[in-house]
Amino acid sequence: MAVFSAPSFDQHELVAFCEDRSTGLRAIIAVHSSQLGPAVGGLRMYPYADDAAALDDVLRLSRGMTYKSALAGLPVGGGKAVIIGDPSCDKSAALLQAMAGFIDSLGGRYVTAEDSGTTVADMAQIAKHTCYVSGLDSHGGGDPSPYTAYGVYCGLRAALRQQRGSDNLDGVRVAIQGAGAVGSHLARRLIEDGATVLVADVNPTLLTPLQALGAEVVEPASILSQPVDVLAPCAMGAVLNAETVQQVRASIIAGAANNQLATPAQAQQLADRGVLYVPDFVINAGGIIAVYHQRQHGGALSADAESTLLQHVEGIGDKLGLIFKRAAQQSCPPHAVAEAMAEEVLLAQGRQAATEN
């Protein structure tokens, strides 16, 4: 398995591998950049088809975290970790302890948090064996999912303002792919504001509470092609590929999933079809913003601290407004503009560091 020549390798500072035969742990940690600060990113557990798929995911995710934190104005770098395995049957206290040891061995170059396949309880277990973990109940509420969902909600409304001149959600049809922690929170907010919500998930038990609130349940295979105003991918990444972008009937794509585009080419393909694709690493930054604020306070957030956190998350909408404006001026997809803006932040930090040295 190649690393340096892997398609998603992008001058990553560190890619570390761990196998612990006694617990079955097989994991990869990738630090894309620590230019803005220690690398922070979630720990994903997923039954990848093979090692190459796991490597590609952790490389893409860690790069996305660098850009996400840069545009969110956070003094942290981009990192990510993945465990190869099925969280429903392969996860154990011993495996999490071994993962904590792996994280700890990097001496703080990577700070973990929950992600797909891991929970706040898992982070508490890991925290027994390393201090390099965020998203704990003792760090201000733990679960960042509601803040991720709130950021997507703010970004979705910014996209509506851009396209329609109004962010009124009355009668707006939104299709949500994935009813997990983030997707369900987003669905509830949208329903409360008068939107018509369609939702799909491979786990039908997650759909029942949303259906009781008025959401329409559709089959997972048809969610991308629903005739809606907004498509919100909130499950796994790479759902928008050369084939599926032709099936999209929404005029806006604004969701929480990381790396929704299979390749950068899909950004242009969507733009050519008149679809406004909201860059995922901008709109889904609410979670890392929450993790940062929680870690800064080291305990339950006061009312003032919570207000500051929410204002920071609400700034996602303003940031997207600037991205949309630049994209229109440059006749360029918003995704490419957002990446360029993140690189501007990193370049400015590099110049400042060089001056100080």
Side-chain angles (χ1 to χ4, degrees):
M1 180 176 60
V3 177
F4 296 113
S5 59
S8 298
F9 185 81
D10 181 44
Q11 297 181 313
H12 283 68
E13 294 178 5
L14 171 73
V15 183
F17 299 81
C18 177
E19 180 177 24
D20 183 78
R21 294 185 180 181
S22 64
T23 63
L25 175 69
R26 296 175 66 226
I28 310 172
I29 294 175
V31 173
H32 177 254
S33 172
S34 58
Q35 193 167 342
L36 299 178
V40 179
L43 168 59
R44 174 171 292 187
M45 186 170 185
Y46 186 77
Y48 294 97
D50 51 40
D51 298 348
L55 176 64
D56 183 67
D57 202 29
V58 77
L59 291 176
R60 294 189 72 198
L61 288 166
S62 58
R63 180 180 183 271
M65 289 304 301
T66 296
Y67 284 26
K68 184 183 302 188
S69 295
L71 284 183
L74 298 173
V76 298
K80 209 77 172 184
V82 298
I83 297 175
I84 302 171
D86 186 338
S88 66
C89 57
D90 296 331
K91 192 190 297 179
S92 67
L95 181 140
L96 293 174
Q97 181 176 346
M99 186 66 203
F102 180 28
I103 293 167
D104 201 66
S105 71
L106 300 182
R109 293 188 67 182
Y110 165 71
V111 178
T112 199
E114 73 162 301
D115 202 301
S116 301
T118 60
T119 65
V120 173
D122 295 335
M123 295 305 106
Q125 185 70 28
I126 289 173
K128 294 178 181 178
H129 309 286
T130 180
C131 64
Y132 304 119
V133 55
S134 291
L136 303 170
D137 284 330
S138 60
H139 287 168
D143 185 5
S145 300
Y147 299 101
T148 303
Y150 185 46
V152 174
Y153 168 82
C154 294
L156 187 155
R157 292 181 62 182
L160 286 171
R161 288 195 298 271
Q162 171 67 21
Q163 192 174 80
R164 299 183 170 194
S166 169
D167 60 4
N168 191 324
L169 286 161
D170 259 344
V172 173
R173 289 171 56 82
V174 183
I176 300 177
Q177 181 193 45
V182 176
S184 61
H185 280 293
L186 177 63
R188 292 172 189 275
R189 280 191 175 274
L190 294 172
I191 292 170
E192 287 175 2
D193 279 5
T196 299
V197 172
L198 289 69
V199 63
D201 198 285
V202 294
N203 183 352
T205 62
L206 298 176
L207 300 171
T208 304
L210 299 178
Q211 194 170 21
L213 294 175
E216 178 185 342
V217 172
V218 300
E219 289 298 317
S222 67
I223 191 68
L224 297 181
S225 59
Q226 291 296 317
V228 294
D229 302 295
V230 183
L231 171 64
C234 295
M236 299 299 285
V239 295
L240 299 170
N241 55 44
E243 179 182 351
T244 57
V245 294
Q246 302 304 322
Q247 300 170 10
V248 171
R249 297 167 72 184
S251 58
I252 295 171
I253 299 178
N258 287 305
N259 298 323
Q260 294 166 34
L261 304 177
T263 73
Q266 274 71 69
Q268 187 62 57
Q269 290 169 358
L270 288 167
D272 290 344
R273 296 190 63 224
V275 178
L276 176 60
Y277 175 72
V278 183
D280 52 76
F281 59 88
V282 183
I283 196 173
N284 67 10
I288 189 63
I289 291 171
V291 165
Y292 172 75
H293 281 266
Q294 290 165 4
R295 191 169 178 83
Q296 286 296 104
H297 287 83
L301 295 178
S302 66
D304 286 345
E306 175 74 9
S307 177
T308 299
L309 165 55
L310 291 175
Q311 288 176 21
H312 197 160
V313 175
E314 289 162 1
I316 289 172
D318 296 330
K319 181 68 68 174
L320 284 168
L322 178 58
I323 290 169
F324 296 149
K325 181 179 179 180
R326 283 201 189 183
Q329 291 172 341
Q330 300 172 13
S331 298
C332 188
H335 183 82
V337 170
E339 287 199 337
M341 289 174 63
E343 287 164 3
E344 289 172 9
V345 173
L346 295 169
L347 183 60
Q349 176 63 24
R351 287 172 177 165
Q352 181 179 339
T355 300
E356 291 174 354
N357 293 334

